[in-house]
Amino acid sequence: MKKFNIRKVLDGLTAVSSPSPSPQLGAKENELIPETLQSEHFQLCKTVRHGFPYQPSSMAFDPVQKILAIGTQNGALRLFGRPGVECYCQHESGAAVIQLQFLINEGALVSALADDSIHLWNLRQKRPAVLHSLKFNKERITFCHLPFQSKWLYIGSERGNIHIVNVESFTLSGYTIMWNKAIELSSKAHPGPVVHISDNPMDEGKLIIGFESGIVVLWDLKSKRADYRYTYDEAIHSVAWHHEGKQFICSHSDGTLTIWNIKSPAKPAQTITPHGKQPKDGKKPEPCKPILKVEYKTTRAGDPFMIFSGGLSYDTVGRRPCLTVMHGKSTAVLEMDYPIVDFLTLCETPYPNDFQEPYAVVVLLEKDLVVIDLAQNGYPIFENPYPMMIHESPVTCCEYLADCPVDLIPALYSVGSRQKRQGYSKKEWPISGGNWGLGTQSYPEIIITGHADGSVKFWDASAIMLQVLYKLKTAKVFEKARCKEEKPNTEIVDEDPFAIQLMSWCPESRMLCVAGVSAHVIIYRFSKQEITTEVVQLLEVRLQYELNDLESPEGGGDQTPAPLTPSTSPSPQTAAPQTHTSTSSNSSDGIRDNIPCLKVRSSPLKQSPGYQVELVVQLVWVSGEPPQQISSLAINSSYGLVVFGNSNGLAVVDYLQKTVLLNLGTVELYGSNDPYQRQLRSPRKSRQPSGGLCDINEGSATSEDRCKSPTSVFMSNHQQFYNGGGRGAKMSRKLSLPTELKPDLVLLSVCPPRGSIPLDNRDNSFSRSRSSSVTSIDKEAREAVTSFYFCETYNRKADGGLTPSLWVGTSLGTVLAISLNMPPAGEQRLLQPVIVSPCGTLVRLKGSILRMAFLDSTGSLFPSAFEPWYEPNAPANGEERDKVRKRRPVSVSPSTSQELNENQYAVLCSEKQAKVISLPSQTCVFKHNITETSFVLRADVVQINTGICVACFCANGHIMTLSLPGLRPLLDVNYLPLTDMRIARTFCFTNLGQALYLTSPTEIQRITYSQEVCENLQEMLGELFTPVETPEAPNRGFFKGLFGGGAQSLDREELFGESGAGKAPRSLAQHIPGPGGLEGMKGAASGIVGDLARARIALDERGQKLSEVEERTAAMMASADTFSKHAHEMMLKCKDKKWYQF
């Protein structure tokens, strides 16, 4: 009888959501390879968010803790302390944050949201949490005010009423200021929403209330009536007090500022129109734009500061948003790059009744944060130490490398430090609160971002921080049009022709290769010395062929053309690099031919230390047809080769000899074993719509043959997918591109299968993938090259040893090999040609090929060969030059225990499945169907702990990891549904359990899928709250104390408490306890750093339990007293009764 195994039953249940790997023939070869990774090694959590808060809406500053808080329109909260101390929180509702108020030096923050809720955040833990929430049901919140060192929060509403909330218990007071009591009884009009509330700095019992219509009321809290009412005929936007409490200033919608004496309500003491033209006849100045906010700050030594935003004259059309600083007789107008959302003046004291002594202004713009130094002449800005300019130009692609060479970050920093701008304030950054974490994570991490303007930025991402290291501007290589009229008509995109689409980087050799949206590839070397390049080396590649490589079930086999025999490399002289003078030609009928999309600059190029241009490769127009965008790219420094491909084929370039080695269409790679039947069709049948993505045209291998018989085949516009055309129409409504990017910049593989797809005629077990945008647009879509991998491996079953190879993956799931015959290293490498020869099809998978990697016979990752970095501009006779001449590439050979005739394993991952292939036998050892209903957007083979795995991100939001080589599912978490294409374009995994994606156009979200990192994360995070003594209150002075001229205090508890004001109606607001109490603090206090916090929590819990015991004891005593009383009454009642009367 067969033994029952409960584990197999459980495995079968889990296989419903994640199908288990199926071992194929030859699985016994893997029995000797132990797999160290288990599911307990994996856990998914967010680590840190970098960048500028997307769509900011409000801001607050704690002047004692020196912490800045920024709220956004989607309910996010970003907190900033000293550089490296940042925190991200999110309100559950996602409603816009309309106002923030710190409980100064208390480690707490109040947020008011557009859904009429207020929340109290506890900042005394590393991950802040909500302690209390209050949801208003009948009133819309418009303004909040929390006086310094008070627990009573004033809340103004759209109806004009003011409610008061106890921030300790988050309960409403019964004390309410109704609008009809605040305004004149004779006034019939509603004063409008409350736009301002603040108490008199010198008298806490007097509250000033600003209504939108222009009415300001000074309310006496004790007598519950209005002392004075100030009326102006223009709407009010903000109000600010003078610190002595005798004057206040209002900003209005006509660009005026009115200064009022509190005891003279009849008219303003002074009316100013700062930017209005003053007529000579004494009339009113012309109205200006509204002054949205004003602040009035005093100094001991000099004139007060009046700082305001807006108020410009209406005739300043096109002028940028401004912040105006008025100090004495001087007026400085500071222009900003973006609209102003809010600003705050930073002062030396938190007390409103003392001289403020302002020293800086924090200006929150729509896309930037600017801090202005008020203490220096000219008001210079501080250099922003936060990584807030990720979006300086929209991000188009990302790469992430963990555990890179240790000398890389110092090298990039040394060249990047010379790029810093001058003219910043010399003072230290004023937002300096919090403390850094004590994490032990020490490996170097680098993030590379490609941008729409052609720039590439390198970031130091070590230890959950982010700092820009170096910026490379690739657009310098090309001529720039000064105006629209000068733009060449060969450009294939309307905007951002230099945008980076793909990047390939070799960290050991520091070689960098980028592909741009205008079908151009640029290869860079890293140098620490400045050079001037007289002529930029240029290769122009002409690719074309006359096949429509579409699978045609009706077509007969006789339509398959004879494959072109790929030739070996021509001699270096045959395809010598062209200079910037192209052999472009326009025929008499205006058809563009042999013209690149961009013009390489003709003047000498001064190249600073850092990345310097080695070679530019451009695809050219062929017979009036534009080149197609590049979809895949790879560089190998050991071989000196760059390869790129697109929807038509691929080209291999030798960047050392500056020649094109191979130039083939995808169909030609198959040779005579093409698995698809492809129709011939006439050239130029369908033109590509203007402004869409471009097409590449294929030809034969040699440079001479490439210029013969120009016929073309074209792919429909990628943009059709986003505009709702073809099979992707249904999906396009769900996806959005909130950035300024064009849909052109999105890579392949973005649309899941739709509808029923016919199976391949010759192999029913294989279904053609329609999951990439290239293959889901229409019937003319073709097979694209989607991935490359350079490695020393076995290309044929009969191979006796490892040979340099290039493996090619296509959008139809085919993996092909190209053999590379490399000349000897050294000088011979520059003289002898590299011989490349396609080896045909190796294996086929479902879906587009995304990632390839190799394992040795022990199951260890088998990396590509690389060349160590050297200084390319070393002196001609120096020792460095001799080292360069003698250098040899580092070839990563198998481990010493591995004989050459032993196995190697290829790991192949597509949009649908993963396979492990044994080499040289080419036997499928393991196969795993990753997803049936969705498709994989990104897959990487990564190292974590002591093992390696395949990490995948699917379009349905699942993040999965598979063991290697067994392809066992180790992690499957539904993390993030694909809501817009930015995530698909920027998501990437790297080693040691790290990953990232662009969560908004301005922010990078880093996550980890490692259990070890999750456990240590609490210690790595910085602390926002640090114990700081509150500054002493200002001295009242002898005479003020004697004659009562100092600040008047108010017993708010007596006035607003339940005993004095009663209870508020329950229907007005609903109290919601938050998760951030003792239970929330328990989770926050973990690790060594949390020991003290845990002890404090234990004491709090003990105190809480003791108080509960005390309450229970008191209740028992009361019950006992009651029982005794009842017993005594019963005794008295029954004392005189006889026994028979009972």
Side-chain angles (χ1 to χ4, degrees), residues 969-981:
L970 299 172
L971 175 75
D972 187 352
V973 178
N974 188 0
Y975 170 70
L976 179 77
L978 180 64
T979 51
D980 59 63
M981 291 314 305

Side-chain angles (χ1 to χ4, degrees), residues 98-112:
I98 57 174
Q99 200 173 347
L100 295 169
Q101 290 270 307
F102 272 103
L103 276 69
I104 294 173
N105 204 27
E106 294 291 333
L109 175 73
V110 173
S111 58

Side-chain angles (χ1 to χ4, degrees), residues 905-1120:
Y905 300 98
V907 181
L908 311 172
C909 188
S910 75
E911 292 174 324
K912 291 289 187 181
Q913 62 182 191
K915 284 186 179 182
V916 174
I917 308 297
S918 176
L919 299 175
S921 65
Q922 298 184 10
T923 307
C924 181
V925 178
F926 279 98
K927 181 176 76 171
H928 178 74
N929 292 325
I930 300 171
T931 176
E932 296 292 344
T933 57
S934 184
F935 61 100
V936 179
L937 287 165
R938 175 80 183 210
D940 288 288
V941 177
V942 292
Q943 191 152 1
I944 178 171
N945 295 346
T946 56
I948 53 173
C949 64
V950 180
C952 305
F953 172 55
C954 291
N956 61 7
H958 283 253
I959 290 179
M960 293 176 279
T961 59
L962 307 172
S963 70
L964 285 176
L967 297 179
R968 289 180 298 111
L970 299 172
L971 175 75
D972 187 352
V973 178
N974 188 0
Y975 170 70
L976 179 77
L978 180 64
T979 51
D980 59 63
M981 291 314 305
R982 185 193 326 102
I983 298 170
R985 192 176 58 248
T986 56
F987 200 105
C988 50
F989 297 95
T990 187
N991 293 331
L992 305 172
Q994 307 286 356
L996 67 79
Y997 59 94
L998 217 68
T999 186
S1000 74
T1002 63
E1003 296 168 291
I1004 286 176
Q1005 178 66 57
R1006 289 166 69 180
I1007 62 175
T1008 181
Y1009 49 96
S1010 164
Q1011 171 69 27
E1012 184 181 357
V1013 177
C1014 287
E1015 287 178 352
N1016 296 329
L1017 181 60
Q1018 195 65 30
E1019 293 182 10
M1020 294 163 62
L1021 294 174
E1023 293 188 72
L1024 285 167
F1025 179 80
T1026 51
V1028 179
E1029 287 289 332
T1030 302
E1032 288 187 10
N1035 191 358
R1036 293 175 66 185
F1038 174 75
F1039 289 105
K1040 284 186 178 179
L1042 185 65
F1043 298 108
Q1048 302 294 315
S1049 61
L1050 173 74
D1051 188 352
R1052 294 189 179 96
E1053 185 68 38
E1054 182 184 341
L1055 199 58
F1056 303 144
E1058 192 173 323
S1059 59
K1063 288 185 178 181
R1066 287 187 178 182
S1067 59
L1068 185 60
Q1070 178 189 0
H1071 177 260
I1072 305 165
L1078 287 174
E1079 294 302 318
M1081 291 174 71
K1082 275 184 197 174
S1086 63
I1088 299 168
V1089 181
D1091 284 344
L1092 289 174
R1094 282 200 297 275
R1096 189 178 70 246
I1097 292 165
L1099 285 171
D1100 290 344
E1101 285 179 332
R1102 186 165 175 259
Q1104 200 175 55
K1105 288 174 182 175
L1106 285 172
S1107 64
E1108 287 174 4
V1109 169
E1110 190 177 345
E1111 286 172 5
R1112 286 176 190 166
T1113 306
M1116 288 173 68
M1117 289 176 67
S1119 178

